[in-house]
Amino acid sequence: VQLQACGGGLVQPGGSLRLSCVVSGSSFSSYDMGWYRQTPGALRELVACISSGGTIDIRDSLEGRFTISRDNAKNTLYLQMNSLKPEDTAVYYCTAGVYYSNGYFSPRGSWGQGTQVTVSS
């Protein structure tokens, strides 16, 4: 599986961005998918995940600002980020994984190159 994330950039606090992740192959609809982010020196953290059946989990601290969605016809995963804050600055990655019924998401496979999001005035 190859993943290509894009849509990052420089945005002012309070602004919005929509990240996209195009996934190669014909099995995207069967994948559970997740968005992670990472800042220098920190561990990669889960932002949001969506199961193949459409069940969604958003990191508690991001609820109400971030949403995740998918378009299986386009093999594309999205992350809509609103009311962005400087602390959202990070490299954002998408990945396939396993979504468990207790809400836990386990990443599997490749990550792609990520897309940089910078929130600054």
Side-chain angles (χ1 to χ4, degrees), residues 40-120:
L43 294 174
R44 201 166 290 184
E45 65 178 18
L46 179 65
V47 171
C49 57
I50 183 168
S51 72
S52 59
T55 301
I56 289 171
D57 261 309
I58 308 291
R59 189 176 189 87
D60 287 348
S61 60
L62 302 176
E63 282 270 17
R65 296 196 298 122
F66 286 23
T67 58
I68 187 172
S69 61
R70 64 192 300 160
D71 185 335
N72 290 335
K74 296 182 178 179
N75 276 24
T76 303
L77 177 73
Y78 300 102
L79 182 69
Q80 178 67 44
M81 305 185 294
N82 299 325
S83 303
L84 283 162
K85 303 176 181 181
E87 52 263 42
D88 296 319
T89 296
V91 178
Y92 285 72
Y93 300 87
C94 57
T95 190
V98 178
Y99 179 85
Y100 295 90
S101 58
N102 62 0
Y104 179 72
F105 182 83
S106 177
R108 305 285 173 88
S110 61
W111 289 92
Q113 87 286 0
T115 185
Q116 174 71 48
V117 172
T118 303
V119 185
S120 175

